[in-house]
Amino acid sequence: MTVPRFWRKQQSRYNLIGTTCSTCGQYFYPPRNFCPECRRDGKINEHKFKGTGKVVTYSIIRSASDQFSLLTPYVIAIIELDEGCRLTSQVICEIDAVYIGMPVKQTFRRLGTDGGSGAIFYGTKFIPA
Amino acid sequence: MVGIISYGAYIPRYRIRVEEIARVWGANGTEISKGLGVYEKSLPDLDEDTATISVEAARAALARRTVDPGEIKAVYVGSESHPYAVKPTAATVGEAIGATPVMTAADYEFACKAGTAAVQTCMGLVKSGMIPYGIAIGADIAQGEPGDALEYTAAAGGAALIIGNRDPIADLNYTCSYTTDTPDFWRREGKPFPRHGGRFTGDPGYFKHVLGSSRMLLSDLGTKPGDYDYAVFHQPNGKFPVRAADILGFSREQIKPGLVVPYLGNTYSGASMVGLCATLDIARPGDRIFMTSYGSGAGGDSFDITVTDVIDSDQFNRDAAPTVADMLKDKKMVDYAVYAKHKGKVVMME
Ligand SMILES: [Zn+2]
């Protein structure tokens, strides 16, 4: 990931800032500037998610690229936020502790680093609530 | 009066027993544990560092009380393990709590007392009317070279205090400091691990400055140890703070709630501030707290604090974030192999 590409999405990654369409009530994360449902009638506003939700489904990662190999085995899950939109994130817990429907909440972690001397990228992951 | 508006601490879940570290080095773990008064220490997860610990502590403080992040006009993070040599941790914290962009920020370094130096800076800015709120953080993922004595205690954790003057939960009545140039402990630029002056760390370092600063506060205010309900001292191990309390005339009961090092380890810049948070976790309105931090190199900062009625009011919700005791209980023990993997990540960053 390049530094500028990450930086543009930084606020959204740090604080789970997405968008909502006030016409139909849908929430979007990552943020969308256009509602696929309402199209031209959609009214998009910024929304800071509460940061709580539940695991919809998950997978255990046992081998990963160099950057993430130290973390293995770890849990990647699709999480449905309480507001009703879905995102993919690591869930930090023992691999045998995760289950479908598990309540989770946001936490602030390192997402990765650009090698030993490059930038450190921070953002949101989830832990059991 | 200027005071603590809210507070929050963060301790990573992983722990290793001092005996387990000693086993690897063929040392007598039981003896070492007893000698240090430390039984377990925390270590960060692979994706945790001083910035993530600082953010979690700051968010815990904001969970306990509604403070408009836009009114937090100063963020200071004291640490000796900032993730970057150049690029402020404080800016990352500011962004992650929504305080950016109208704020001042800086990273502080003064060995283990950089966090309390940040508290003093915020007190000055609030008292002078320059800012409504400031946030002062002390956090570390402490480094100790494998096999070195420091490895038994170097731990991870941190605490955040929101400082302001609108209905504080605890008044910061007074602060003073005692500082000299003392070579008891250091880490050179670019080196991953600190060095220490052996015997130099006790009397000329810790005790001279902790006692010097503490006695100065008692003399300046004309107070006695018996005037305080609780006392918190910097805690590099379980022995030094107890001895300092004994010498000054504070009882074991007074220091008990804030003495978290036996099952946490030394969180360096976090140490005295996590101890203060543990004390605020159980404090009642009217309780008076004495605190002295210590930073090698060397200096001590002392504080006289009185808990107010606000701590029990609707303006403040202590239960909205975990207590230090909660976090000490919620732990996962690891062996030296897992610990080494976690440490490996830390060293790679240098
Ligand atoms: Zn819509």
Side-chain angles (χ1 to χ4, degrees):
Chain A
M1 195 169 349
T2 65
V3 170
R5 204 182 125 209
F6 188 89
W7 182 73
R8 279 195 300 273
K9 294 179 176 162
Q10 183 166 280
Q11 262 296 340
S12 148
R13 284 182 205 273
Y14 280 16
N15 288 311
L16 276 185
I17 291 169
T19 50
T20 179
C21 170
S22 57
T23 310
C24 68
Q26 274 198 87
Y27 290 89
F28 307 104
Y29 187 90
R32 285 184 174 211
N33 296 319
F34 182 75
C35 178
E37 199 87 7
C38 308
R39 301 188 160 264
R40 275 162 56 194
D41 295 331
K43 286 200 178 66
I44 299 287
N45 297 300
E46 199 176 89
H47 176 77
K48 185 170 187 280
F49 288 92
K50 280 185 298 179
T52 47
K54 59 178 197 296
V55 170
V56 176
T57 185
Y58 64 90
S59 154
I60 310 291
I61 308 296
R62 294 181 191 275
S63 68
S65 60
D66 278 2
Q67 152 121 244
F68 301 106
S69 61
L70 268 177
L71 292 173
T72 57
Y74 62 92
V75 179
I76 286 286
I78 294 176
I79 290 157
E80 184 165 293
L81 296 171
D82 286 348
E83 288 92 339
C85 91
R86 292 178 175 195
L87 58 90
T88 303
S89 166
Q90 184 186 345
V91 174
I92 300 155
C93 66
E94 273 64 76
I95 55 167
D96 50 6
V98 64
Y99 60 93
I100 290 169
M102 180 168 83
V104 291
K105 62 181 179 188
Q106 70 174 98
T107 187
F108 191 80
R109 297 282 176 129
R110 270 187 189 200
L111 300 183
T113 57
D114 188 7
S117 59
I120 305 167
F121 304 112
Y122 294 98
T124 303
K125 291 186 182 181
F126 288 80
I127 53 174
Chain B
M1 180 184 274
V2 63
I4 299 164
I5 298 299
S6 186
Y7 71 96
Y10 181 78
I11 298 166
R13 278 188 72 216
Y14 293 94
R15 305 285 188 284
I16 185 167
R17 291 180 63 79
V18 167
E19 287 183 0
E20 168 69 4
I21 299 172
R23 184 184 62 80
V24 169
W25 298 109
N28 184 333
T30 316
E31 210 166 83
I32 289 171
S33 251
K34 230 181 120 204
L36 291 168
V38 179
Y39 304 93
E40 296 168 13
K41 66 165 197 170
S42 63
L43 56 140
D45 204 342
L46 290 155
D47 53 4
E48 289 183 303
D49 61 21
T50 293
T52 66
I53 289 169
S54 299
V55 168
E56 288 296 320
R59 285 181 176 173
L62 287 165
R64 287 191 166 116
R65 189 163 188 171
T66 308
V67 173
D68 175 4
E71 286 208 289
I72 298 173
K73 304 282 191 195
V75 177
Y76 295 103
V77 180
S79 180
E80 43 188 284
S81 53
H82 290 290
Y84 288 96
V86 178
K87 186 179 181 303
T89 310
T92 301
V93 173
E95 190 102 339
I97 61 171
T100 48
V102 187
M103 59 169 229
T104 182
D107 287 356
Y108 274 7
E109 284 183 29
F110 194 141
C112 301
K113 78 161 197 74
T116 55
V119 173
Q120 292 177 324
T121 306
C122 287
M123 285 174 72
L125 292 172
V126 169
K127 271 186 124 166
S128 66
M130 286 175 69
I131 60 169
Y133 299 109
I135 188 158
I137 296 170
D140 258 304
I141 49 165
Q143 307 109 321
E145 191 161 18
D148 185 272
L150 291 172
E151 195 193 6
Y152 293 111
T153 52
L161 300 180
I162 300 174
I163 308 297
N165 57 11
R166 299 175 191 166
D167 296 334
I169 57 158
D171 290 332
L172 288 161
N173 304 316
Y174 188 70
T175 181
C176 63
S177 301
Y178 184 93
T179 309
T180 71
D181 183 345
T182 306
D184 59 337
F185 175 100
W186 60 87
R187 179 167 68 85
R188 290 279 299 275
E189 188 67 44
K191 299 291 181 197
F193 298 113
R195 300 272 299 271
H196 49 94
R199 296 174 62 86
F200 227 101
T201 54
D203 289 334
Y206 183 90
F207 290 101
K208 178 180 170 184
H209 296 84
V210 166
L211 300 178
S213 181
S214 298
R215 284 175 177 143
M216 194 196 306
L217 185 140
L218 294 170
S219 151
D220 287 357
L221 295 181
T223 50
K224 303 180 298 297
D227 296 333
Y228 298 89
D229 297 280
Y230 301 109
V232 181
F233 296 98
H234 176 54
Q235 35 204 285
N237 53 55
K239 299 290 173 170
F240 281 17
V242 175
R243 204 177 125 203
D246 283 350
I247 295 169
L248 290 164
F250 288 96
S251 71
R252 301 289 163 99
E253 285 304 304
Q254 282 170 297
I255 60 169
K256 197 176 168 197
L259 192 63
V260 292
V261 64
Y263 292 93
L264 172 59
N266 180 6
T267 56
Y268 288 41
S269 304
S272 55
M273 290 174 68
V274 172
L276 176 64
C277 290
T279 307
L280 289 171
D281 281 339
I282 54 110
R284 315 296 316 161
D287 283 347
R288 197 162 175 186
I289 303 169
F290 183 98
M291 172 167 84
T292 297
S293 64
Y294 173 68
S296 295
D301 300 329
S302 293
F303 297 84
D304 182 293
I305 302 161
T306 306
V307 179
T308 71
D309 294 339
V310 182
I311 201 162
D312 279 348
S313 76
D314 294 344
Q315 291 187 64
F316 188 72
N317 181 4
R318 244 193 295 214
D319 298 334
T323 64
V324 172
D326 289 340
M327 288 184 283
L328 286 177
K329 261 180 263 158
D330 178 24
K331 63 185 173 188
K332 180 173 166 51
M333 303 303 301
V334 301
D335 59 17
Y336 199 89
V338 174
Y339 168 73
K341 182 168 132 174
H342 283 230
K343 275 188 84 63
K345 175 217 65 164
V346 175
V347 178
M348 269 160 49
M349 295 321 302
E350 298 293 334

